[in-house]
Amino acid sequence: MDEIVTLAHGAGGKKTAELIEKVFKTHFSNPEFTGDDAAVLQIDGNQLAFTTDGFIVSPPEFPGGNIGKLSVCGTVNDLACMGAQPLYLSCAFVIEEGFSLAKVEAYAAAMEKTANEAGVRIVAGDTKVAGKGQVDNLFITTTGIGRVMQGCHTSGTFARPGDAVIVTGDVGRHGCTILLARDTYGIKADVTSDCAPLWGTVKTMFDTTKNIHVIRDATRGGVGTVLYEIAEQSNIGIRLDAAAIPIDKAVSGVCGMLGLEPLYLACEGRLVVFAPKEEAAALLETLHKGTYSKNAAIIGEVTAELAGRVIMKTEIGTETMLPPPGGELLPRIC
Amino acid sequence: MDEIVTLAHGAGGKKTAELIEKVFKTHFSNPEFTGDDAAVLQIDGNQLAFTTDGFIVSPPEFPGGNIGKLSVCGTVNDLACMGAQPLYLSCAFVIEEGFSLAKVEAYAAAMEKTANEAGVRIVAGDTKVAGKGQVDNLFITTTGIGRVMQGCHTSGTFARPGDAVIVTGDVGRHGCTILLARDTYGIKADVTSDCAPLWGTVKTMFDTTKNIHVIRDATRGGVGTVLYEIAEQSNIGIRLDAAAIPIDKAVSGVCGMLGLEPLYLACEGRLVVFAPKEEAAALLETLHKGTYSKNAAIIGEVTAELAGRVIMKTEIGTETMLPPPGGELLPRIC
């Protein structure tokens, strides 16, 4: 293992997995410790989901949201992906000395609004102030408890040949928004983050059918990283149809200019769903009625061959391998 | 309200209370939102305690512990103070790029050891890496779920005239240890942090009697801040006997040199307990048998007069008011 922590260790890819495997799994070994988005706990006969996420985003405000909204969506969505109705959240703030109180209040207001929409209550909190220069603006860590719905069992290991691969909307918007908000490249484009609470989306899918194998939110590392993780966890291959992947025109334009693959840009309001092909039409019909999933599309299928790989049928009909996720995020969005 | 966040907003005193009242209570208003150490949730017939705490400590290693041990103790102790048996923890790391991986592993090992001692399982986690200079070494946020024990009801509002005020050990060790570890003043002294998981201590107290009114851990702001909070919340006065307050000789020496009041130095393994006088002898007998409470002592009593104030009988027999907690912590320990 490297002797120092690198940005790649936090990018959600191979190095993060290595850190979890070698350090955290070694020391936090117990039956409930999880590689999924949330741990599932049995407490006195109830099945609860439990998850935590730290949010550091620069800039803390961006078109379509701010760090407060993001910190609620991220944890609500991790619970939702486990088929769990979000019930309660805690939040811990670390704020840099000298940061604007009005901004802290604006982020708290965004958290309130998003929590209300998701039907979750923020019940516990903590505030620490770090000295000037000890932290960049502010970090928010949220932790959520949800009630696992009966009959809803999904996992990254459940994908099967014959499954359709669905995304619930156009991909890469959040990563592209942050990239533009930083103004590093001097590019202007009209892109808004997809940041949204997705419990409602998940619930309507399960109301349509319980026969869903995998639900994952495509945050750090984007849809591409999630697909590679599932291909490995379920030991299956994935064949994508490039023409079917919904991408906003402006996002596509920015990616073209900078040579970025939109599948590897973070989303904060998009789910990757694996379900048997015969369920896909009904799921799509449901999704197209939802606020946050109007552009949902079937983007590919699961194959028995080429296990662990993601193959893409290009728009000119050839096949190419989607490059596996590398180290650092481009751009770093957290 | 001030327009920027100051260190005092994170010091656990008046400014922190103002921030919670004006920003967080306004936006996170719901029946479970709590001013106590943990929220109490009713989930499908179970009563669960839920609490979160962010840990930033400089230096991250100190005599008697490190940030990993601290991050488990802090959350376990907040649950314990609510009469809740700690069951599960999550942890979120924010690590500075370039930080030593071996140290991260050492902190994880300390978390494992402390969690085992407290009987709690670490089941969910998150790791973010911040760019060089975006964070000072590393922050750990832990969140805990506990099972509230039947018949154990404590609250900062339950103190009553006639209660004895007990501390479970000598005060101010953690704050003094951090102060010395920073080496700002060039003072050397043999002081070790009291950092410890206290669920066992709380359990043996409740096994002795359920008739306990308040249990609080005296972290940020120390015993003095906790006493003033309880005096206000319960609308009672507190009369302390200075000679009865257990203080380690080396801590007392350091405080003497620097003009610090040990009652305002943080502890990380000490509880402040309010219980009816007639229960105090039995509680002390139990505490004196415990690993972390051998020096427990009755340090004062609750009075009906002088509500909201803490009076101290000095060692020469006069009475003086303990100065109310001010703004910043001295030293800043988090």
Side-chain angles (χ1 to χ4, degrees):
Chain A
M1 200 181 322
D2 311 347
E3 292 188 320
I4 60 164
V5 176
T6 63
L7 291 172
H9 283 112
K14 219 192 294 186
K15 282 281 178 190
T16 305
E18 190 183 301
L19 181 68
I20 292 171
E21 194 61 42
K22 296 205 181 160
V23 175
F24 297 122
K25 272 207 187 158
T26 306
H27 291 290
F28 305 156
S29 145
N30 59 62
E32 291 91 356
F33 189 84
T34 181
D36 277 318
D37 282 332
V40 175
L41 313 176
Q42 305 286 346
I43 304 182
D44 303 330
N46 295 324
Q47 214 177 22
L48 299 178
F50 185 46
T51 186
T52 192
D53 216 340
F55 297 86
I56 54 178
V57 56
S58 174
E61 290 155 43
F62 47 82
N66 60 36
I67 189 172
K69 180 180 180 185
L70 190 65
S71 72
V72 173
C73 291
T75 291
V76 160
N77 294 350
D78 278 349
L79 293 173
C81 286
M82 300 297 292
Q85 178 188 1
L87 299 177
Y88 297 105
L89 288 190
S90 69
C91 59
F93 284 72
V94 180
I95 311 172
E96 185 178 18
E97 182 187 6
F99 192 74
S100 152
L101 254 178
K103 287 190 178 181
V104 173
E105 177 151 20
Y107 306 154
M111 293 174 80
E112 176 187 24
K113 194 174 163 216
T114 313
N116 285 344
E117 184 181 343
V120 71
R121 285 174 170 181
I122 300 172
V123 293
D126 180 58
T127 313
K128 294 288 179 338
V129 180
K132 191 94 194 155
Q134 281 189 297
V135 56
D136 196 19
N137 295 321
L138 85 168
F139 297 167
I140 302 176
T141 300
T142 55
T143 306
I145 298 178
R147 182 193 286 116
V148 179
M149 290 196 300
Q150 281 205 322
C152 300
H153 298 296
T154 64
S155 163
T157 62
F158 289 176
R160 291 289 170 269
D163 280 358
V165 180
I166 298 170
V167 291
T168 60
D170 60 299
V171 307
R173 284 239 306 267
H174 182 71
C176 189
T177 303
I178 296 299
L179 182 148
L180 294 171
R182 284 201 195 137
D183 206 19
T184 317
Y185 303 100
I187 300 173
K188 304 267 177 244
D190 187 18
V191 182
T192 304
S193 171
D194 56 324
C195 181
L198 300 177
W199 165 240
T201 309
V202 169
K203 185 160 187 318
T204 58
M205 283 199 291
F206 277 120
D207 287 346
T208 305
T209 173
K210 297 274 194 291
N211 195 7
I212 298 173
H213 292 159
V214 186
I215 303 178
R216 293 285 295 277
D217 60 335
T219 57
R220 281 191 286 194
V223 172
T225 300
V226 166
L227 292 176
Y228 263 103
E229 277 173 16
I230 295 168
E232 188 171 310
Q233 289 173 6
S234 294
N235 196 36
I236 47 90
I238 295 170
R239 177 171 278 117
L240 298 181
D241 179 1
I245 300 169
I247 307 179
D248 177 83
K249 268 192 185 164
V251 172
S252 185
V254 172
C255 286
M257 272 191 274
L258 298 174
L260 297 172
E261 168 54 60
L263 284 176
Y264 283 117
L265 290 183
C267 310
E268 290 291 348
R270 298 293 179 246
L271 302 170
V272 177
V273 181
F274 286 61
K277 249 181 216 150
E278 50 278 20
E279 308 284 358
L283 282 170
L284 268 197
E285 195 187 328
T286 295
L287 287 167
H288 287 159
K289 291 180 201 148
T291 314
Y292 300 122
S293 51
K294 293 198 190 313
N295 304 316
I298 300 172
I299 62 167
E301 59 177 359
V302 174
T303 62
E305 70 271 21
L306 293 165
R309 295 204 190 167
V310 180
I311 301 297
M312 188 136 73
K313 200 178 89 193
T314 66
E315 304 192 8
I316 55 168
T318 59
E319 288 203 334
T320 175
M321 194 170 92
L322 180 72
E328 292 190 23
L329 297 183
L330 282 173
R332 278 180 48 73
I333 54 99
C334 57
Chain B
M1 198 181 321
D2 310 348
E3 290 187 320
I4 59 162
V5 176
T6 63
L7 290 172
H9 283 112
K14 221 191 294 186
K15 280 281 177 193
T16 305
E18 188 183 303
L19 181 68
I20 292 171
E21 194 62 42
K22 296 205 180 159
V23 176
F24 298 122
K25 272 207 187 157
T26 307
H27 292 290
F28 305 157
S29 144
N30 59 62
E32 291 91 357
F33 189 85
T34 181
D36 276 317
D37 282 331
V40 175
L41 313 175
Q42 306 286 347
I43 304 183
D44 303 328
N46 296 322
Q47 213 176 22
L48 298 179
F50 185 45
T51 187
T52 192
D53 216 340
F55 296 87
I56 53 176
V57 55
S58 174
E61 290 156 41
F62 47 82
N66 61 37
I67 190 173
K69 179 180 180 185
L70 191 65
S71 73
V72 173
C73 291
T75 291
V76 160
N77 294 351
D78 278 349
L79 292 173
C81 286
M82 300 297 292
Q85 178 188 1
L87 299 177
Y88 298 105
L89 288 188
S90 69
C91 58
F93 284 71
V94 180
I95 312 174
E96 185 178 18
E97 183 187 6
F99 192 74
S100 153
L101 254 179
K103 285 189 179 183
V104 172
E105 177 152 20
Y107 305 153
M111 293 175 79
E112 176 187 23
K113 193 173 164 218
T114 313
N116 286 343
E117 183 182 342
V120 72
R121 285 174 171 181
I122 300 171
V123 293
D126 180 57
T127 313
K128 294 287 180 336
V129 180
K132 190 94 194 156
Q134 281 189 298
V135 55
D136 196 19
N137 296 319
L138 85 168
F139 297 166
I140 303 176
T141 299
T142 56
T143 306
I145 299 178
R147 182 192 286 116
V148 179
M149 291 197 299
Q150 281 207 320
C152 301
H153 298 296
T154 64
S155 164
T157 63
F158 288 176
R160 290 292 170 267
D163 279 357
V165 180
I166 299 171
V167 291
T168 61
D170 60 300
V171 307
R173 284 240 305 266
H174 183 72
C176 188
T177 303
I178 296 300
L179 182 147
L180 294 172
R182 284 201 196 138
D183 206 19
T184 317
Y185 303 100
I187 300 172
K188 304 267 177 246
D190 186 18
V191 182
T192 305
S193 170
D194 56 325
C195 181
L198 299 178
W199 165 240
T201 308
V202 169
K203 184 158 188 316
T204 58
M205 283 198 292
F206 277 120
D207 287 346
T208 305
T209 175
K210 296 275 195 289
N211 195 7
I212 298 173
H213 293 159
V214 185
I215 305 179
R216 292 286 295 276
D217 60 336
T219 57
R220 282 190 286 193
V223 171
T225 300
V226 167
L227 292 176
Y228 263 102
E229 278 173 18
I230 294 168
E232 188 171 311
Q233 289 172 7
S234 294
N235 195 35
I236 47 90
I238 295 171
R239 178 171 276 118
L240 298 182
D241 179 0
I245 300 168
I247 307 178
D248 176 83
K249 268 192 185 163
V251 171
S252 184
V254 171
C255 285
M257 272 191 274
L258 297 174
L260 297 172
E261 169 54 61
L263 283 175
Y264 283 117
L265 290 183
C267 311
E268 289 290 350
R270 299 292 179 246
L271 302 170
V272 176
V273 181
F274 286 60
K277 248 180 217 152
E278 50 278 20
E279 308 283 359
L283 282 170
L284 269 197
E285 195 187 328
T286 294
L287 287 167
H288 288 158
K289 290 180 202 148
T291 313
Y292 300 122
S293 51
K294 292 199 190 316
N295 303 317
I298 299 172
I299 62 167
E301 59 177 358
V302 174
T303 62
E305 71 269 22
L306 292 165
R309 296 205 189 166
V310 180
I311 302 298
M312 188 135 74
K313 201 178 88 192
T314 65
E315 304 194 6
I316 55 167
T318 58
E319 288 203 334
T320 176
M321 194 169 93
L322 180 72
E328 292 189 24
L329 296 182
L330 283 173
R332 279 181 47 73
I333 54 101
C334 58

